[in-house]
Amino acid sequence: MATLTNIKDMYTELKIKKGGYIVVDIVEQVSKEQDLKKDKVNKVVKLIKEDGNTIPFVARYRKNETGNMSEDDIRNIIERWEYINNLETRKKEIIETLKNREKLTPELERAVNLSNTQHELEELYKPYKQKKKTRGMKAEEKGLSPLADIFLKGEITTENEAQKESERFLEEEKGVTSYEEALQGANDIIAEKIAQKSENRKETKDICENLTKINVELKDKEKDKKGVYKDYYEFGDKLIKLPSHRIMAINRGEKEGVLKVKYSSPEQKVIDRLSTRETKGIEGYSRQVIEEAVADSVKRLIVPSIERELKTYKLEEAEGRAINIFSKNLENLLMKPPIKGKVIMGVDPAYKTGCKLAVIDSTGDVKEVDVIYPTKPHSKVKEAEKKVLDLIKNYNVKIIAIGNGTASRETEEFVVGAISSYTKETGDEDVQYAIVSEDGASVYSASKLASEEFPELDVQERSAISIARRVLDPLAELVKIDPGSIGVGQYQHDVSKKKLEETLSFVVEKVVNQVGVDVNTASVHLLKNISGLNKKSAENIVEKRTELQGFDSRKVLKQVKGLGDKTFEQCAGFLRILNGENSLDKTAIHPESYHLATELLDIMQEKAENIGSSELIEKITTLENDQAKIEELADKLETDYFTLKDILSAFKKPHFDPRDKFDKPRLKKDILKIEDLKEGMVLEGEIKNVVDFGAFVDLGIKEDGLIHISNLSDKYIAHPFEVVSVGNIVRVEIIDIDKERGRIGLRKV
């Protein structure tokens, strides 16, 4: 794992003195950190920052230039490049400011230039942007800098000499009236000079990074009545050893006023190490003064600053991990495959206000909405069952999607009974049900978008439609919802909102472009996530689509208002036209490569209409087994290997959907309760959330079970993501049941 220290060592190697600044080769720095060739990093930066391409476009259509980098690889490069670039810009600003204020010393300039993080840089600059002057600044104003320099040069060997020398600096008007005051002022100046030295900060950081401890104790038990933070009422460990989820929990507990947190660092070890360096070649009373200044500098300035930096670094690392977990879970959730060709009934469960029903057809259009009252206090079960059976018969409903919110389990029991009655009456055993996460459904239902989509319906009716559509096409429905409202994260409410939103937006954009969209049916919310598009251009596409009664070719997209050549280049390959005049328009082949595709078809003696046919698939499969032939073809077509391979893949699977390889939603016909469970039972469940310490599994009962990381695999794994992800259907054995606390321990089998 990269630490503050080894990143800084790498960073320092790549700096060149130029004028008043140390200039960083940012591209080389990024390439070293991420173990990539410099020319590849250069190309990525040029493609994104200079040429104005989007990450999905570069990942899909510029593979030859990047070496087939993924969207995540490209984003990591750009993020790190931007961070270092912003850091260097800020250093220049600070150095210029300090110069103008005549506060820039060689030591301070070096420390600023060698700062590796924004936090470290701002810690150095902090004393100079405060309205309140530091003790060292006040001492300098009193004219005590020359006295400090005399001690630093080792020119004073006895205390008598010090007293005599100090007399020259006594000046009542400046507030220096005694030897003690002069000595204290000199000490303050020396302490700050010591703190400004980059090598002293690095030495301190090297020591503290491995040895600083975090100590936590209870501050106010009344604020933790449920005992959420009980594990931390009396807790201590080395900061470096603390896992991310503990850092986040402690941070939340401190914010809520439940916990009190202190840090303890090996101050004496730091003092001894810095004293040796600072007093080299100096003896006598000067040495004593410097040693006292070192101790003061370490305790009052350096260690507190380094502790803040380490705390910030660990917290940012934990936040990054939490955001990463959320983004991976979200990606897997968005990648859940659609249920094609089925009529679905969505049910938004409730007690007093009744369960709202919505039937949608296989395209997502709403056929009917209604309300039933099978749960308490109404308990109109027979009346509710009749309505449900009539809807199933009238619309040939095959799946009933039940929201997992309030009254979900009681509604599930009712639905199981209704399905059973329907099967007995008709002999049709094909009707099944699924429990669907309601996270974010209420946010969508009350949104402006939902009211525009269904102005005549109330909030709960809209929610029932959303629940049904989440089964029909999870991606198309979930893109309408703020990703932060989808409950598949860990401590997502404790991280930087801006960072979380940026990351989740990237995940949504990445998935939408990997899947691609049918430009003739996609909503504005789906289209705006396509490479190069935004809300306005998506609205313009829908407006033009309505005017033309559908697009019959990709080239017609150029008629859309505001869709210039660059935007068309970025979006065209991700917008599919399934029944257009050109068969290539239904594939992921970019229009810029149509001439290659046409020439390739001619070579293979095939027509575009035969794309996806068994004959063409057979020819391509034979060709793909001959690497030399592929390379020969690439040379003949004057193209690169990656583009040719992608064209061939599109010929084989013109409607390829990456979601097809993921587990489909778990459909059921019966119901389980925690009382039905026994240790040793083996069941099937769906992974609902993945966190650092394990995975939560929906077993089809009210309580989710937990597979601890130690029970996920027979082999050692560093993280649950190595073996499971959200949406996976898994077989599990029950190893522990705590009915009182509603906890179920599981083992993956």
Side-chain angles (χ1 to χ4, degrees):
M1 182 183 77
T3 64
L4 282 174
T5 306
N6 59 35
I7 286 177
K8 183 163 185 174
D9 289 342
M10 218 185 292
Y11 194 74
T12 306
E13 284 174 23
L14 297 160
K15 300 195 174 187
I16 312 158
K17 191 74 178 178
K18 194 173 184 181
Y21 308 109
I22 293 180
V23 179
V24 179
D25 185 334
I26 299 176
V27 168
E28 189 166 347
Q29 170 66 15
V30 174
S31 67
K32 273 206 165 192
E33 284 182 11
Q34 303 196 16
D35 195 22
L36 295 167
K37 290 183 179 178
K38 187 177 176 180
D39 69 307
K40 293 298 181 190
V41 175
N42 243 329
K43 283 181 178 177
V44 167
V45 173
K46 183 181 183 301
L47 284 164
I48 301 293
K49 305 303 290 187
E50 293 181 31
D51 299 344
N53 296 302
T54 67
I55 290 176
F57 176 81
V58 171
R60 176 73 67 85
Y61 298 113
R62 295 295 180 264
K63 292 178 180 177
N64 193 51
E65 293 186 58
T66 67
N68 198 21
M69 286 184 191
S70 69
E71 293 94 336
D72 295 292
D73 292 334
I74 295 167
R75 183 169 185 259
N76 288 340
I77 288 170
I78 296 301
E79 279 195 339
R80 189 60 185 153
W81 184 90
E82 289 175 342
Y83 183 91
I84 299 173
N85 196 49
N86 291 336
L87 182 65
E88 294 307 306
T89 300
R90 180 63 177 147
K91 286 177 188 177
K92 290 178 183 179
E93 290 172 357
I94 288 174
I95 286 173
E96 281 301 317
T97 301
L98 292 171
K99 268 184 184 176
N100 293 337
R101 291 167 56 187
E102 298 182 348
K103 296 292 182 184
L104 189 66
T105 63
E107 293 89 352
L108 184 54
E109 183 178 2
R110 178 174 168 75
V112 166
N113 274 316
L114 293 178
S115 296
N116 181 56
T117 66
Q118 290 280 4
H119 184 79
E120 181 182 0
L121 182 60
E122 296 303 332
E123 277 289 308
L124 281 168
Y125 185 51
K126 194 175 183 179
Y128 302 94
K129 64 179 181 181
Q130 292 175 337
K131 290 181 181 178
K132 189 177 178 182
K133 293 175 181 177
T134 65
R135 281 162 46 175
M137 289 176 188
K138 290 176 182 177
E140 285 175 356
E141 288 177 356
K142 292 175 181 179
L144 295 171
S145 289
L147 180 61
D149 290 338
I150 291 169
F151 284 119
L152 286 170
K153 291 173 184 174
E155 294 176 359
I156 296 176
T157 56
T158 68
E159 187 171 4
N160 286 336
E161 285 179 35
Q163 287 179 339
K164 193 172 181 180
E165 192 65 40
S166 298
E167 287 176 4
R168 297 193 298 113
F169 298 93
L170 300 182
E171 196 172 336
E172 195 167 340
E173 287 183 8
K174 290 186 176 180
V176 186
T177 59
S178 66
Y179 158 66
E180 288 78 15
E181 286 177 351
L183 186 62
Q184 182 61 56
N187 183 296
D188 292 339
I189 293 170
I190 294 168
E192 289 186 13
K193 283 180 179 289
I194 289 167
Q196 288 171 2
K197 289 185 178 180
S198 55
E199 58 267 33
N200 288 338
R201 289 185 63 84
K202 183 181 184 303
E203 187 89 51
T204 305
K205 194 179 295 180
D206 289 347
I207 295 168
C208 291
E209 189 173 18
N210 293 307
L211 299 175
T212 293
K213 291 183 178 179
I214 184 170
N215 301 296
V216 187
E217 59 185 51
L218 179 64
K219 182 179 179 182
D220 189 343
K221 195 172 184 178
E222 283 300 305
K223 292 181 179 178
D224 189 30
K225 291 181 179 178
K226 292 184 179 180
V228 174
Y229 302 104
K230 193 175 180 180
D231 291 346
Y232 303 103
Y233 287 177
E234 193 176 335
F235 178 85
D237 204 349
K238 284 184 179 178
L239 190 59
I240 196 171
K241 289 172 61 179
L242 217 57
S244 294
H245 64 277
R246 286 196 180 276
I247 286 280
M248 297 300 290
I250 290 168
N251 186 58
R252 182 192 286 178
E254 186 179 22
K255 277 185 177 178
E256 292 178 4
V258 178
L259 305 175
K260 185 177 181 181
V261 182
K262 290 182 180 178
Y263 295 88
S264 59
S265 297
E267 290 180 346
Q268 193 55 53
K269 187 169 184 176
V270 176
I271 291 168
D272 293 344
R273 195 80 62 87
L274 300 195
S275 290
T276 301
R277 176 187 288 120
E278 293 297 327
T279 60
K280 189 175 182 181
I282 297 174
E283 297 298 335
Y285 195 68
S286 289
R287 184 185 184 95
Q288 182 182 327
V289 169
I290 294 171
E291 285 177 343
E292 288 173 359
V294 167
D296 177 44
S297 183
V298 168
K299 292 178 181 179
R300 182 169 58 86
L301 301 172
I302 305 178
V303 163
S305 173
I306 296 300
E307 284 179 350
R308 285 192 296 271
E309 188 176 339
L310 291 175
K311 178 187 176 183
T312 300
Y313 179 76
K314 284 293 287 186
L315 191 55
E316 285 179 352
E317 184 183 52
E319 282 191 356
R321 193 174 179 87
I323 290 171
N324 188 44
I325 287 170
F326 197 146
S327 65
K328 284 186 178 178
N329 284 335
L330 176 64
E331 182 175 340
N332 289 317
L333 184 64
L334 295 176
M335 277 292 190
K336 287 186 74 170
I339 299 283
K340 297 172 183 175
K342 301 284 186 183
V343 178
I344 300 169
M345 182 192 300
V347 184
D348 184 9
Y351 291 114
K352 192 175 180 180
T353 57
C355 302
K356 301 299 190 295
L357 308 178
V359 177
I360 62 169
D361 65 17
S362 58
T363 65
D365 288 338
V366 180
K367 308 308 291 181
E368 190 169 335
V369 294
D370 210 331
V371 60
I372 55 175
Y373 300 89
T375 57
K376 294 178 181 179
H378 308 285
S379 301
K380 296 179 180 179
V381 178
K382 287 189 177 179
E383 182 183 311
E385 187 174 280
K386 184 179 184 308
K387 277 192 179 182
V388 168
L389 295 185
D390 286 345
L391 289 171
I392 292 174
K393 293 172 189 173
N394 292 344
Y395 297 103
N396 195 25
V397 172
K398 290 302 178 186
I399 298 170
I400 300 176
I402 306 167
N404 68 344
T406 304
S408 175
R409 296 308 165 188
E410 295 88 340
T411 305
E412 182 183 9
E413 288 180 10
F414 161 74
V415 167
V416 169
I419 291 174
S420 178
S421 297
Y422 173 77
T423 301
K424 285 177 184 176
E425 183 183 330
T426 64
D428 181 359
E429 297 184 354
D430 290 340
V431 179
Q432 296 171 290
Y433 76 93
I435 302 296
V436 180
S437 170
E438 284 186 16
D439 288 329
S442 59
V443 176
Y444 160 74
S445 304
S447 69
K448 183 183 177 184
L449 171 66
S451 63
E452 289 172 353
E453 200 172 359
F454 304 109
E456 73 286 0
L457 302 181
D458 68 25
V459 171
Q460 279 187 303
E461 287 169 332
R462 295 172 194 157
S463 184
I465 296 167
S466 180
I467 288 166
R469 285 178 170 177
R470 286 187 186 202
V471 175
L472 180 72
D473 191 341
L475 177 60
E477 191 61 24
L478 291 172
V479 292
K480 300 176 184 177
I481 299 164
D482 171 17
S485 301
I486 301 172
V488 289
Q490 181 184 12
Y491 296 106
Q492 63 264 33
H493 302 297
D494 300 307
V495 303
S496 162
K497 189 177 179 184
K498 185 183 176 186
K499 284 182 186 175
L500 181 65
E501 286 176 351
E502 287 174 353
T503 303
L504 299 186
S505 294
F506 166 75
V507 170
V508 174
E509 181 184 358
K510 175 175 124 180
V511 173
V512 170
N513 285 282
Q514 283 182 353
V515 172
V517 303
D518 178 351
V519 72
N520 283 320
T521 60
S523 67
V524 168
H525 253 67
L526 205 53
L527 286 168
K528 75 176 186 179
N529 289 289
I530 288 293
S531 167
L533 301 183
N534 53 33
K535 188 171 185 287
K536 183 62 181 173
S537 52
E539 288 171 345
N540 290 343
I541 287 174
V542 171
E543 187 179 322
K544 192 67 177 178
R545 180 174 77 192
T546 304
E547 178 192 323
L548 298 173
Q549 296 185 319
F551 295 100
D552 57 11
S553 75
R554 276 174 170 161
K555 63 186 177 185
V556 178
L557 287 165
K558 291 185 177 181
Q559 297 176 19
V560 174
K561 183 181 176 183
L563 211 69
D565 290 342
K566 188 65 179 179
T567 304
F568 178 80
E569 176 194 53
Q570 298 301 300
C571 71
F574 304 102
L575 300 174
R576 314 287 158 71
I577 296 171
L578 302 186
N579 298 301
E581 61 183 35
N582 187 341
S583 294
L584 296 177
D585 285 349
K586 67 184 176 183
T587 72
I589 300 170
H590 196 282
E592 67 183 9
S593 298
Y594 278 9
H595 66 289
L596 295 172
T598 303
E599 195 174 340
L600 183 58
L601 285 168
D602 289 341
I603 292 170
M604 300 179 77
Q605 298 181 323
E606 290 284 354
K607 295 180 180 179
E609 305 89 78
N610 295 336
I611 288 172
S613 68
S614 56
E615 294 84 358
L616 185 53
I617 290 171
E618 190 176 336
K619 284 184 180 181
I620 293 169
T621 303
T622 303
L623 178 60
E624 286 176 330
N625 291 330
D626 188 341
Q627 185 69 22
K629 185 68 175 174
I630 293 273
E631 290 171 1
E632 183 186 321
L633 257 178
D635 289 340
K636 185 175 182 178
L637 293 169
E638 296 181 351
T639 188
D640 61 90
Y641 172 81
F642 293 111
T643 300
L644 179 58
K645 284 285 287 181
D646 283 349
I647 291 172
L648 290 171
S649 295
F651 283 174
K652 285 174 73 175
K653 295 182 178 180
H655 301 296
F656 173 71
D657 189 333
R659 295 175 294 177
D660 290 340
K661 66 183 180 182
F662 291 84
D663 292 335
K664 291 191 179 295
R666 183 166 163 263
L667 302 175
K668 305 187 294 178
K669 289 186 178 179
D670 52 15
I671 190 169
L672 274 175
K673 297 179 182 177
I674 196 168
E675 289 77 18
D676 300 328
L677 304 183
K678 293 178 183 177
E679 289 182 17
M681 282 180 72
V682 175
L683 301 169
E684 195 176 72
E686 182 177 342
I687 301 292
K688 284 298 181 185
N689 200 2
V690 179
V691 293
D692 278 337
F693 52 84
F696 290 96
V697 183
D698 178 7
L699 297 169
I701 64 173
K702 185 176 181 180
E703 301 81 4
D704 287 342
L706 172 66
I707 314 175
H708 189 267
I709 187 170
S710 60
N711 292 312
L712 273 168
S713 174
D714 293 333
K715 301 175 183 177
Y716 170 77
I717 56 171
H719 197 279
F721 278 131
E722 293 178 35
V723 289
V724 291
S725 58
V726 168
N728 284 167
I729 306 300
V730 293
R731 283 176 60 78
V732 293
E733 179 187 355
I734 298 172
I735 57 175
D736 182 58
I737 303 171
D738 186 339
K739 292 180 182 178
E740 192 175 317
R741 300 173 75 185
R743 294 186 176 182
I744 304 160
L746 306 171
R747 179 176 66 83
K748 185 173 178 287
V749 296

